[in-house]
Amino acid sequence: MTEAILLVGGKGTRLRPLTVHTPKPMVRAAGVPFLTHQLARARAAGVEHVVLATSYLAEVFEPYFGDGSSLGLHLEYVTEEEPLGTGGAIRNVASRLRSGPDEPVLIFNGDILTGLDIRALVRTHETTGADVSLHLTKVPDPRAYGLVPTDGTGRVLAFLEKPQTPEEIVTDQINAGAYVFRRSVIDTIPQGRPVSVERETFPELLAAGAHLQGMVDSTYWLDLGTPAAFVRGSADLVLGRAPSPAVPGRCGDRLILPTAVVAPGAKLTGGTVVGEGAFVAEGARVFGSAILPGAVVEPGAVITDSLIGARARVGTRSVLNGTVIGDGAVVGADNELRNGARVWCDARIPAGSVRFSSDR
């Protein structure tokens, strides 16, 4: 297997305000755009040619990654004029593939952080003679996902989208968002219209008697679709819990990128990353958070499980827990933001304006 398709066209609406100016795969996780981690893991598995299926803010990708040579890859970019869904996006880039009809093509969703053994998925695909092979993982509560029951050999039996009642939950195996397609199967997807592989392509292939194979790999897996999950994923990359050859430094309690400045009396723990040109002042405490390039954390601020956008500022003694601060926003001194609060890009919160606790 030498080529792959990466689906990176989504708008990332659940991640706003992180995705107002930046497409979801380009939001920084552990110091680099998240897409960098996916490309590096694909390259480590032997992939040489990657086609990026882009749509939202498509103009951002190529100036950053270029032809991919810096990652040891050959990258191509195909932009959808209108959103085509997962299946439509795959079909839309088919003309750029070089594989023969029976050769495998790897396909990744652009918002999944995983420790999947890519080579094992390809081996499973080849040894079983499958038309499509799917990475499956097990989750405690599968109601938010598509269930994929299999038989004793791993052959897929059905696709059950987001079941809600106990009777509908027949397995804890879910579609984990990575596939290997036989090249010729891609050409059977309808062209020029929106298509969902989960709701249309896979069920129709199954109904037609195609061989769909599941491989359960229960290593690290995280859907980065929400701000809380994205922050957690970044911290797990820094801590080394999630594997990636693209982390720009040694894994550990914190990662400070070149040109960032952290005062000697600041405390950074829990997989915190401080991006280029950012500043963390004396007495600040930051746990499990991402401070993006150019952001400023003032003295005595306490930040936990949060993401501070590029060029944003957190004022003196402000307390943030489970919060996202958009690019260029300013949180004045002595504010307290908690539990999923989102401050939009370039917003201004005056000093002492928001509190969850009584005055001290």
Side-chain angles (χ1 to χ4, degrees):
M1 181 201 60
T2 61
E3 65 182 348
I5 298 170
L6 268 169
L7 304 175
V8 293
K11 291 185 176 181
T13 52
R14 291 185 298 158
L15 276 177
R16 294 206 167 202
L18 299 179
T19 51
V20 170
H21 304 302
T22 306
K24 177 168 53 177
M26 295 298 288
V27 178
R28 289 175 179 254
V32 297
F34 174 66
L35 180 56
T36 310
H37 299 290
Q38 290 187 307
L39 291 171
R41 294 199 72 247
R43 181 68 190 94
V47 172
E48 298 173 358
H49 177 223
V50 179
V51 184
L52 300 181
T54 68
S55 180
Y56 177 66
L57 296 176
E59 68 277 7
V60 172
F61 294 92
E62 190 167 3
Y64 187 90
F65 290 106
D67 64 2
S69 56
S70 62
L71 293 170
L73 292 165
H74 177 227
L75 299 183
E76 292 190 65
Y77 306 84
V78 178
T79 301
E80 302 165 22
E81 298 301 323
E82 296 180 3
L84 295 172
T86 48
I90 293 167
R91 182 68 179 88
N92 191 52
V93 306
S95 63
R96 303 294 185 93
L97 298 174
R98 304 166 181 172
S99 302
D102 291 325
E103 292 183 316
V105 177
L106 179 68
I107 299 173
F108 275 130
N109 281 340
D111 54 3
I112 301 296
L113 177 60
T114 176
L116 167 68
D117 186 338
I118 297 170
R119 292 181 187 272
L121 181 63
V122 176
R123 284 196 302 272
T124 296
H125 179 79
E126 293 176 335
T127 57
T128 60
D131 296 297
V132 180
S133 297
L134 299 87
H135 170 209
L136 307 179
T137 193
K138 295 177 181 288
V139 295
D141 183 359
R143 287 176 295 176
Y145 304 98
L147 303 192
V148 187
T150 55
D151 67 14
T153 68
R155 188 157 182 160
V156 173
L157 300 174
F159 291 90
L160 308 172
E161 277 299 312
K162 298 183 179 179
Q164 297 303 310
T165 67
E167 294 76 22
E168 292 177 303
I169 301 175
V170 297
T171 180
D172 57 356
Q173 296 176 176
I174 67 165
N175 176 359
Y179 320 112
V180 178
F181 272 66
R182 186 191 304 272
R183 169 67 182 86
S184 59
V185 174
I186 293 174
D187 292 328
T188 69
I189 299 173
Q191 192 169 14
R193 69 169 177 85
V195 179
S196 165
V197 290
E198 299 87 355
R199 293 177 176 83
E200 183 175 342
T201 304
F202 292 156
E204 288 184 359
L205 284 170
L206 207 57
H211 180 176
L212 277 67
Q213 185 73 21
M215 187 194 83
V216 177
D217 183 316
S218 295
T219 53
Y220 186 98
W221 184 87
L222 186 64
D223 178 349
L224 300 184
T226 66
F230 199 95
V231 170
R232 177 183 156 198
S234 177
D236 284 347
L237 284 162
V238 173
L239 291 165
R241 294 172 180 166
S244 171
V247 175
R250 295 178 60 184
C251 292
D253 226 21
R254 64 183 194 172
L255 176 63
I256 302 171
L257 272 68
T259 73
V261 176
V262 177
K267 185 176 182 181
L268 311 179
T269 57
T272 290
V273 57
V274 183
E276 297 94 334
F279 174 65
V280 181
E282 195 74 24
R285 290 178 287 154
V286 188
F287 177 86
S289 298
I291 313 299
L292 296 193
V296 174
V297 179
E298 294 184 355
V302 180
I303 300 173
T304 304
D305 298 337
S306 298
L307 189 145
I308 313 303
R311 304 174 308 283
R313 178 178 291 266
V314 178
T316 302
R317 295 178 303 278
S318 281
V319 176
L320 277 59
N321 193 324
T323 300
V324 174
I325 309 300
D327 296 344
V330 175
V331 178
D334 298 307
N335 280 292
E336 185 180 358
L337 303 176
R338 295 185 180 276
N339 304 327
R342 307 184 192 208
V343 177
W344 237 247
C345 300
D346 301 313
R348 299 287 188 272
I349 299 180
S353 296
V354 180
R355 296 291 295 271
F356 282 74
S357 58
S358 62
D359 289 339
R360 295 182 180 88

